[in-house]
Amino acid sequence: MAIHPGDSLAGYRVTRLLGRGGMGEVWAARSDSDGREVAIKVLLARAAVKPDLVRRFQREAEITSAIQSPYVCRLLEVGMTPDNAHLLVFEKLEGESLADRLKREQYLPFTEVWPIIEDVLEGLVAAHAAGVIHRDLKPGNIFIERTGHSERPERAKILDFGISKLRRG
């Protein structure tokens, strides 16, 4: 299924492509019912024919929904398109990835780095409390969200639990 701006996915109107990976695409969208902005991760058709990749996508939903933290991107719902494409609907974050910030700035002062480290550690503590090991923590999976608060204008959030593991027992 090719997705384009203006398409409707599970009650959301697609606005623009945010990113593309080997397994899927992430699209910005707006709720048809209340106008809320979201990010929709869609499993690509070529990946959806591989049962292990479908299980991995479903496991990402299970794992992400188990973590409740302001330092982890929140999963809002899991769905399917009419033509059976799997999708995950996440909160839409405003800002940039740490990878993009580092490309642009090249050097970050400690006063800027320390709050990012604290936030990531808070997110990891919540993940570990839920029995989750991320396994792919890197600047591209850390998002620097603009909060709109004057006392703390940014917060780091962990993204992409696609290859994480859930510890049992």
Side-chain angles (χ1 to χ4, degrees), residues 60-112:
E60 180 179 2
E62 173 190 352
I63 286 171
T64 306
S65 65
I67 305 167
Q68 302 300 311
S69 170
Y71 306 101
V72 171
C73 187
R74 192 166 33 100
L75 178 67
L76 304 174
E77 64 183 274
V78 177
M80 303 269 295
T81 64
D83 62 345
N84 294 322
H86 298 267
L87 53 90
L88 304 176
V89 181
F90 290 94
E91 67 178 316
K92 171 82 167 52
L93 304 176
E94 295 298 328
E96 65 184 333
S97 72
L98 180 56
D100 288 342
R101 168 105 22 118
L102 290 170
K103 273 185 219 164
R104 192 182 74 247
E105 299 291 331
Q106 296 175 356
Y107 167 81
L108 298 178
F110 185 75
T111 55
E112 207 173 310

Side-chain angles (χ1 to χ4, degrees), residues 36-53:
R36 170 180 57 162
E37 288 192 87
V38 297
I40 302 178
K41 186 174 190 174
V42 181
L43 185 64
L44 294 173
R46 68 176 179 269
V49 297
K50 299 177 180 176
D52 57 320
L53 294 181

Side-chain angles (χ1 to χ4, degrees), residues 3 5 7 14 18 58 73 77 96 107 121 157 161 165:
I3 300 169
D7 288 353
V14 173
L18 295 174
Q58 292 167 335
C73 187
E77 64 183 274
E96 65 184 333
Y107 167 81
L121 289 174
K157 287 195 174 199
F161 284 80
K165 291 287 183 189

